[in-house]
Amino acid sequence: MTDASPWSSVDTAVGTRLVVVTVGTDHHRFDRLVRWVEHWFAEQGGAVRVAAQTGTAAPSHAFPCEPYLSPTELDEAVSAATAVVSHGGPATIMGIRTRGLLPIVVPRDPAHDEHVDDHQQRFGRWLAARGEIALATTEAELHGRLDAA
């Protein structure tokens, strides 16, 4: 991560949990996920750090955001994370799992114009049934998963 990036401070704070959020690189906006994390973050009173890769979603003003990260930058962030919240993309999920973390997955929903179809929802349910992800389909579920992490 370069010094010019808002992510440059992510690795320097000690003593607080780091939650990394990634919405992936699809051109559809995923504002819903960023807002849900923002609401949870506001309740934490500084006990946790959050950094997000937001793609085309509106960035948060509460925590550092970058539209896109290189694979190396994302890998470094995931490696430093206590928990990772991800969209339902298979490559992203598997990359998080290779770092020994159980991804908290919020699948994109075509009903919210977040993707072209429901493949992330179907894939998420399939992985959750096997215990390979922590699936969150509502804001309350996401907050509960983050609290447990």
Side-chain angles (χ1 to χ4, degrees):
M1 292 181 243
T2 65
D3 289 336
S5 168
W7 287 65
S8 61
S9 64
V10 167
D11 295 43
T12 60
V14 178
T16 55
R17 299 178 299 155
L18 171 63
V19 174
V20 171
V21 179
T22 177
V23 305
T25 59
D26 188 84
H27 70 276
H28 294 87
R29 292 174 62 111
F30 202 4
D31 294 336
R32 181 172 58 103
L33 176 56
V34 176
R35 296 295 80 78
W36 286 3
V37 173
E38 196 171 50
H39 297 159
W40 175 82
F41 180 69
E43 298 171 355
Q44 301 309 301
V48 66
R49 296 173 292 138
V50 173
Q53 177 272 315
T54 56
T56 59
S60 173
H61 297 291
F63 45 80
C65 295
E66 279 289 322
Y68 299 101
L69 299 172
S70 72
T72 301
E73 288 172 318
L74 183 58
D75 187 53
E76 288 173 1
V78 169
S79 294
T82 304
V84 179
V85 178
S86 173
H87 66 110
T92 302
I93 291 169
M94 294 307 137
I96 296 164
R97 288 188 46 80
T98 63
R99 289 290 176 204
L101 294 171
L102 183 70
I104 300 169
V105 175
V106 178
R108 289 173 175 265
D109 186 343
H112 295 287
D113 198 30
E114 297 165 347
H115 219 311
V116 296
D117 61 27
D118 68 345
H119 75 278
Q120 287 196 1
Q121 295 169 324
R122 289 182 285 118
F123 187 63
R125 287 190 302 270
W126 186 80
L127 287 176
R130 288 153 183 74
E132 296 184 31
I133 64 167
L135 184 64
T137 58
T138 68
E139 184 171 4
E141 284 178 335
L142 175 61
H143 291 196
R145 300 279 192 208
L146 285 166
D147 290 341

